[in-house]
Amino acid sequence: MALIVAAEATALLAAAGWYGYQLVAGSPVLSFWGAVFTLGLLLAFAVWLYAVAVFLYRGYRWTRAAALVAQLFVLTIGFPTLSAGLVIPGLAMLLPAVTAIVLLFHSKVISYANRTGSPPPTL
């Protein structure tokens, strides 16, 4: 499960790198600062997904909700991509997202990801 989330984070980081390259190479954009903001969002989301993958691997409970939200975002982009006729990119987004959603509700993942954190310090 954590590997799927880490792979999605890596794909997002690659997309951010391609987007940054296109921005530096001089691709026409309507708003330069809007494009920089979008690049920042791509990088921030990739870092967030890496953090979710690491803590999911460690078995923290909150990561299931964070991974589910990420998969729902991927579905909202994957379905229109697939319906627009871009079959391979659409399937490349949809198949891991659906697999991750199914695994998130699997009993082994639920029982593994039940760590709540370290206990509060005592006096």
Side-chain angles (χ1 to χ4, degrees), residues 41-101:
L41 284 178
L42 288 171
L43 291 173
F45 194 51
V47 169
W48 178 69
L49 275 180
Y50 276 126
V52 169
V54 167
F55 285 103
L56 181 62
Y57 179 74
R58 292 180 184 172
Y60 282 90
R61 183 180 300 176
W62 64 268
T63 57
R64 290 183 58 241
L68 179 62
V69 168
Q71 303 317 311
L72 293 176
F73 280 134
V74 171
L75 288 178
T76 61
I77 295 172
F79 277 120
T81 303
L82 190 63
S83 7
L86 302 168
V87 177
I88 295 195
L91 289 176
M93 285 185 263
L94 291 177
L95 292 179
V98 169
T99 303
I101 290 172

Coordinates of all heavy atoms in Angstrom, one line a residue, residues 41-101:
L41 N 2.4 24.0 -5.9 CA 1.4 23.1 -5.4 C 1.8 21.6 -5.8 O 1.6 20.7 -5.0 CB 0.0 23.4 -6.0 CG -0.7 24.6 -5.4 CD1 -2.0 24.9 -6.2 CD2 -1.0 24.4 -4.0
L42 N 2.3 21.4 -7.0 CA 2.7 20.1 -7.4 C 3.8 19.6 -6.5 O 3.7 18.4 -6.1 CB 3.2 20.1 -8.9 CG 2.1 20.3 -9.9 CD1 2.7 20.5 -11.3 CD2 1.2 19.0 -10.0
L43 N 4.8 20.4 -6.2 CA 5.9 20.0 -5.3 C 5.4 19.7 -3.9 O 5.8 18.7 -3.3 CB 7.0 21.0 -5.4 CG 7.7 21.2 -6.7 CD1 8.7 22.4 -6.6 CD2 8.5 19.9 -7.0
A44 N 4.5 20.6 -3.4 CA 4.0 20.4 -2.1 C 3.2 19.1 -2.0 O 3.3 18.4 -1.0 CB 3.2 21.6 -1.7
F45 N 2.4 18.8 -3.0 CA 1.5 17.6 -2.9 C 2.4 16.4 -3.0 O 2.1 15.4 -2.4 CB 0.5 17.7 -4.0 CG -0.6 16.7 -3.9 CD1 -1.3 16.5 -2.7 CD2 -0.9 15.8 -5.0 CE1 -2.3 15.6 -2.6 CE2 -1.9 14.9 -4.9 CZ -2.6 14.8 -3.7
A46 N 3.5 16.4 -3.8 CA 4.4 15.3 -3.9 C 5.1 15.0 -2.5 O 5.2 13.9 -2.1 CB 5.5 15.5 -5.0
V47 N 5.5 16.1 -1.9 CA 6.2 15.9 -0.6 C 5.1 15.4 0.4 O 5.5 14.5 1.2 CB 6.7 17.3 -0.1 CG1 7.1 17.2 1.4 CG2 7.9 17.7 -1.0
W48 N 3.9 15.9 0.4 CA 2.9 15.4 1.3 C 2.6 13.9 1.0 O 2.5 13.1 2.0 CB 1.6 16.2 1.1 CG 0.4 15.8 1.9 CD1 0.3 15.9 3.2 CD2 -0.8 15.1 1.4 NE1 -0.9 15.3 3.6 CE2 -1.6 14.9 2.5 CE3 -1.2 14.8 0.1 CZ2 -2.8 14.3 2.4 CZ3 -2.4 14.2 0.0 CH2 -3.2 13.9 1.2
L49 N 2.6 13.5 -0.2 CA 2.4 12.1 -0.5 C 3.5 11.2 -0.1 O 3.3 10.1 0.4 CB 2.1 11.9 -2.0 CG 0.7 12.0 -2.5 CD1 0.6 11.8 -4.0 CD2 -0.3 11.1 -1.8
Y50 N 4.8 11.7 -0.2 CA 5.9 11.0 0.4 C 5.8 10.8 1.9 O 6.0 9.7 2.4 CB 7.2 11.6 0.0 CG 7.7 11.3 -1.3 CD1 8.1 12.3 -2.2 CD2 7.9 10.0 -1.8 CE1 8.6 12.0 -3.5 CE2 8.4 9.7 -3.0 CZ 8.7 10.7 -3.9 OH 9.2 10.5 -5.1
A51 N 5.4 11.8 2.6 CA 5.2 11.8 4.0 C 4.1 10.7 4.4 O 4.2 9.9 5.3 CB 4.8 13.1 4.6
V52 N 3.0 10.8 3.6 CA 1.9 9.8 3.8 C 2.4 8.4 3.6 O 2.1 7.5 4.4 CB 0.7 10.1 2.9 CG1 -0.3 8.9 2.9 CG2 0.0 11.4 3.3
A53 N 3.2 8.2 2.6 CA 3.7 6.8 2.3 C 4.7 6.3 3.4 O 4.6 5.2 3.9 CB 4.5 6.8 1.0
V54 N 5.5 7.2 3.9 CA 6.4 6.8 5.0 C 5.7 6.5 6.3 O 5.9 5.4 6.9 CB 7.5 8.0 5.3 CG1 8.2 7.7 6.6 CG2 8.4 8.1 4.1
F55 N 4.7 7.3 6.7 CA 4.0 7.1 7.9 C 3.0 5.9 7.7 O 2.7 5.3 8.7 CB 3.3 8.4 8.4 CG 4.3 9.3 9.0 CD1 4.8 10.4 8.3 CD2 4.8 9.1 10.3 CE1 5.7 11.3 8.9 CE2 5.8 9.9 10.9 CZ 6.2 11.0 10.2
L56 N 2.5 5.7 6.5 CA 1.7 4.5 6.3 C 2.5 3.3 6.4 O 2.0 2.3 7.0 CB 1.0 4.6 4.9 CG 0.1 3.4 4.5 CD1 -1.1 3.4 5.4 CD2 -0.4 3.6 3.1
Y57 N 3.7 3.3 6.0 CA 4.6 2.1 6.1 C 4.9 1.9 7.6 O 5.0 0.7 8.0 CB 5.9 2.4 5.4 CG 6.9 1.3 5.5 CD1 6.7 0.1 4.8 CD2 8.0 1.4 6.3 CE1 7.6 -0.9 4.9 CE2 8.9 0.4 6.4 CZ 8.8 -0.8 5.8 OH 9.7 -1.8 5.9
R58 N 5.0 2.9 8.4 CA 5.2 2.8 9.8 C 3.9 2.4 10.6 O 4.0 2.0 11.7 CB 5.7 4.1 10.4 CG 7.1 4.5 10.0 CD 7.5 5.8 10.6 NE 8.8 6.2 10.1 CZ 9.4 7.3 10.3 NH1 8.7 8.2 11.1 NH2 10.5 7.6 9.8
G59 N 2.8 2.4 9.9 CA 1.5 1.9 10.5 C 0.7 3.0 11.3 O -0.1 2.6 12.1
Y60 N 0.8 4.2 10.9 CA 0.0 5.2 11.6 C -1.4 5.3 11.1 O -1.6 5.1 9.9 CB 0.7 6.6 11.5 CG 1.8 6.8 12.4 CD1 3.1 6.5 12.0 CD2 1.6 7.4 13.7 CE1 4.2 6.7 12.9 CE2 2.7 7.6 14.5 CZ 4.0 7.2 14.1 OH 5.0 7.4 15.0
R61 N -2.3 5.5 12.0 CA -3.8 5.4 11.6 C -4.2 6.5 10.7 O -5.0 6.3 9.8 CB -4.6 5.5 12.9 CG -6.0 5.3 12.7 CD -6.8 5.4 14.0 NE -6.4 4.3 14.8 CZ -6.8 4.1 16.1 NH1 -7.7 5.0 16.6 NH2 -6.4 3.1 16.8
W62 N -3.7 7.8 10.9 CA -4.2 8.9 10.1 C -3.8 8.8 8.7 O -4.4 9.5 7.8 CB -3.6 10.2 10.7 CG -2.1 10.3 10.6 CD1 -1.2 9.9 11.6 CD2 -1.3 10.8 9.5 NE1 0.1 10.2 11.1 CE2 0.1 10.7 9.9 CE3 -1.6 11.4 8.3 CZ2 1.1 11.1 9.0 CZ3 -0.6 11.8 7.5 CH2 0.7 11.7 7.8
T63 N -2.9 8.0 8.3 CA -2.4 7.9 6.9 C -3.5 7.3 6.0 O -3.5 7.6 4.8 CB -1.1 7.1 6.8 OG1 -1.3 5.8 7.4 CG2 0.0 7.8 7.5
R64 N -4.3 6.5 6.6 CA -5.4 5.9 5.7 C -6.3 7.0 5.2 O -6.7 6.9 4.0 CB -6.2 4.8 6.5 CG -5.4 3.6 6.8 CD -6.2 2.5 7.5 NE -7.4 2.1 6.8 CZ -8.6 2.3 7.2 NH1 -8.8 2.8 8.4 NH2 -9.6 1.9 6.5
A65 N -6.7 7.9 6.0 CA -7.6 9.0 5.6 C -6.8 9.9 4.6 O -7.4 10.3 3.6 CB -8.0 9.8 6.8
A66 N -5.6 10.2 4.9 CA -4.8 11.0 3.9 C -4.6 10.3 2.6 O -4.7 11.0 1.5 CB -3.4 11.4 4.6
A67 N -4.3 9.1 2.6 CA -4.2 8.3 1.3 C -5.5 8.2 0.6 O -5.5 8.3 -0.6 CB -3.6 6.9 1.6
L68 N -6.6 8.1 1.3 CA -7.9 8.1 0.6 C -8.2 9.4 0.0 O -8.7 9.4 -1.2 CB -9.0 7.7 1.6 CG -10.4 7.7 1.1 CD1 -10.6 6.6 0.0 CD2 -11.4 7.4 2.2
V69 N -7.9 10.5 0.6 CA -8.2 11.8 0.0 C -7.3 12.0 -1.2 O -7.8 12.5 -2.3 CB -7.9 12.9 1.1 CG1 -7.8 14.3 0.4 CG2 -8.9 12.9 2.1
A70 N -6.1 11.5 -1.2 CA -5.2 11.6 -2.3 C -5.7 10.8 -3.5 O -5.7 11.3 -4.6 CB -3.8 11.2 -2.0
Q71 N -6.2 9.6 -3.2 CA -6.8 8.8 -4.3 C -8.0 9.4 -4.9 O -8.3 9.3 -6.1 CB -7.1 7.4 -3.7 CG -5.9 6.7 -3.1 CD -4.6 6.8 -3.9 OE1 -4.6 6.6 -5.1 NE2 -3.5 7.2 -3.2
L72 N -8.9 10.0 -4.1 CA -10.0 10.7 -4.6 C -9.7 11.8 -5.5 O -10.3 12.1 -6.5 CB -11.0 11.1 -3.4 CG -11.6 10.0 -2.6 CD1 -12.4 10.6 -1.5 CD2 -12.4 9.1 -3.5
F73 N -8.6 12.6 -5.2 CA -8.1 13.6 -6.0 C -7.6 13.0 -7.4 O -7.9 13.6 -8.4 CB -7.0 14.4 -5.4 CG -7.4 15.5 -4.4 CD1 -6.8 15.6 -3.2 CD2 -8.5 16.3 -4.7 CE1 -7.2 16.5 -2.3 CE2 -8.9 17.3 -3.8 CZ -8.2 17.4 -2.6
V74 N -6.9 11.9 -7.3 CA -6.5 11.3 -8.5 C -7.6 10.8 -9.4 O -7.6 10.9 -10.6 CB -5.5 10.1 -8.2 CG1 -5.2 9.3 -9.4 CG2 -4.2 10.6 -7.5
L75 N -8.7 10.3 -8.7 CA -9.9 9.9 -9.5 C -10.5 11.0 -10.2 O -11.0 10.9 -11.3 CB -10.9 9.2 -8.6 CG -10.5 7.8 -8.1 CD1 -11.6 7.3 -7.1 CD2 -10.3 6.8 -9.2
T76 N -10.6 12.2 -9.5 CA -11.2 13.4 -10.2 C -10.4 13.9 -11.4 O -11.0 14.6 -12.2 CB -11.4 14.5 -9.2 OG1 -10.1 14.9 -8.7 CG2 -12.3 14.1 -8.0
I77 N -9.2 13.5 -11.5 CA -8.4 13.9 -12.6 C -8.4 12.8 -13.6 O -8.4 13.0 -14.9 CB -7.0 14.3 -12.2 CG1 -7.1 15.6 -11.4 CG2 -6.1 14.6 -13.4 CD1 -5.8 16.0 -10.8
G78 N -8.3 11.5 -13.2 CA -8.2 10.4 -14.0 C -9.4 10.1 -14.9 O -9.3 9.8 -16.1
F79 N -10.6 10.3 -14.3 CA -11.8 10.0 -15.1 C -12.0 11.0 -16.3 O -12.2 10.6 -17.4 CB -13.1 10.0 -14.2 CG -13.3 8.7 -13.6 CD1 -13.4 8.7 -12.2 CD2 -13.6 7.6 -14.3 CE1 -13.6 7.5 -11.5 CE2 -13.8 6.4 -13.6 CZ -13.8 6.3 -12.3
P80 N -11.8 12.3 -16.1 CA -11.9 13.2 -17.2 C -10.8 12.9 -18.3 O -11.0 13.1 -19.5 CB -11.8 14.6 -16.6 CG -12.2 14.4 -15.2 CD -11.8 13.1 -14.8
T81 N -9.6 12.5 -17.8 CA -8.5 12.2 -18.7 C -8.9 11.0 -19.6 O -8.7 11.1 -20.8 CB -7.2 11.9 -17.9 OG1 -6.9 13.1 -17.1 CG2 -6.1 11.7 -18.8
L82 N -9.4 10.0 -18.9 CA -9.9 8.8 -19.7 C -11.0 9.2 -20.7 O -11.0 8.7 -21.8 CB -10.3 7.7 -18.7 CG -10.5 6.4 -19.3 CD1 -9.3 5.8 -19.9 CD2 -11.1 5.4 -18.2
S83 N -12.0 10.0 -20.2 CA -13.1 10.3 -21.1 C -12.7 11.3 -22.2 O -13.4 11.3 -23.2 CB -14.3 10.9 -20.4 OG -14.1 11.2 -19.1
A84 N -11.6 12.0 -22.1 CA -11.1 12.9 -23.1 C -10.4 12.1 -24.2 O -9.9 12.7 -25.2 CB -10.2 13.9 -22.5
G85 N -10.2 10.8 -24.1 CA -9.6 10.0 -25.1 C -8.2 9.7 -24.8 O -7.5 9.0 -25.6
L86 N -7.6 10.1 -23.7 CA -6.2 9.8 -23.3 C -6.3 8.6 -22.5 O -6.2 8.6 -21.3 CB -5.6 11.0 -22.6 CG -5.6 12.3 -23.4 CD1 -5.2 13.5 -22.5 CD2 -4.6 12.2 -24.5
V87 N -6.3 7.4 -23.2 CA -6.6 6.1 -22.5 C -5.4 5.8 -21.6 O -5.6 5.4 -20.4 CB -6.9 5.0 -23.5 CG1 -7.1 3.7 -22.8 CG2 -8.1 5.4 -24.3
I88 N -4.2 5.8 -22.1 CA -3.0 5.3 -21.3 C -2.8 6.2 -20.1 O -2.7 5.7 -19.0 CB -1.8 5.2 -22.2 CG1 -2.1 4.1 -23.2 CG2 -0.6 4.9 -21.3 CD1 -1.0 3.5 -23.9
P89 N -2.7 7.5 -20.2 CA -2.6 8.4 -19.0 C -3.7 8.2 -18.0 O -3.6 8.2 -16.8 CB -2.5 9.8 -19.5 CG -2.1 9.7 -21.0 CD -2.7 8.4 -21.4
G90 N -5.0 8.1 -18.6 CA -6.1 7.9 -17.7 C -6.1 6.6 -16.9 O -6.3 6.6 -15.7
L91 N -5.7 5.5 -17.6 CA -5.6 4.2 -16.9 C -4.4 4.3 -15.9 O -4.5 3.6 -14.9 CB -5.4 3.1 -17.9 CG -6.7 2.7 -18.7 CD1 -6.4 1.6 -19.7 CD2 -7.8 2.3 -17.7
A92 N -3.3 5.0 -16.3 CA -2.2 5.1 -15.4 C -2.5 5.8 -14.1 O -1.9 5.6 -13.1 CB -1.0 5.8 -16.1
M93 N -3.5 6.6 -14.1 CA -4.0 7.3 -12.9 C -5.0 6.5 -12.2 O -5.0 6.4 -11.0 CB -4.6 8.7 -13.3 CG -3.5 9.7 -13.6 SD -4.2 11.3 -13.8 CE -4.3 11.4 -15.6
L94 N -6.0 5.9 -13.0 CA -7.1 5.2 -12.3 C -6.8 3.9 -11.7 O -7.3 3.6 -10.6 CB -8.2 5.0 -13.4 CG -8.9 6.3 -13.8 CD1 -10.0 6.0 -14.9 CD2 -9.6 7.0 -12.7
L95 N -6.0 3.1 -12.4 CA -5.7 1.7 -11.8 C -5.0 1.8 -10.5 O -5.4 1.1 -9.6 CB -4.9 0.9 -12.9 CG -5.7 0.5 -14.1 CD1 -4.9 -0.2 -15.1 CD2 -7.0 -0.2 -13.8
P96 N -3.9 2.5 -10.3 CA -3.3 2.6 -9.0 C -4.3 3.2 -7.9 O -4.3 2.7 -6.8 CB -2.1 3.5 -9.1 CG -1.8 3.5 -10.6 CD -3.1 3.3 -11.3
A97 N -5.0 4.2 -8.3 CA -5.9 4.8 -7.3 C -7.0 3.8 -6.9 O -7.3 3.7 -5.7 CB -6.6 6.1 -8.0
V98 N -7.6 3.1 -7.8 CA -8.6 2.1 -7.4 C -8.0 1.0 -6.6 O -8.6 0.6 -5.6 CB -9.3 1.6 -8.7 CG1 -10.2 0.4 -8.4 CG2 -10.1 2.7 -9.3
T99 N -6.8 0.6 -7.0 CA -6.1 -0.5 -6.2 C -5.9 0.0 -4.8 O -6.1 -0.7 -3.8 CB -4.8 -0.9 -6.9 OG1 -5.1 -1.3 -8.2 CG2 -4.1 -2.0 -6.2
A100 N -5.4 1.2 -4.7 CA -5.1 1.8 -3.3 C -6.4 1.9 -2.5 O -6.3 1.6 -1.3 CB -4.4 3.2 -3.5
I101 N -7.5 2.3 -3.1 CA -8.7 2.5 -2.4 C -9.2 1.1 -1.9 O -9.6 1.0 -0.7 CB -9.8 3.2 -3.2 CG1 -9.4 4.6 -3.4 CG2 -11.2 3.0 -2.6 CD1 -10.3 5.4 -4.4

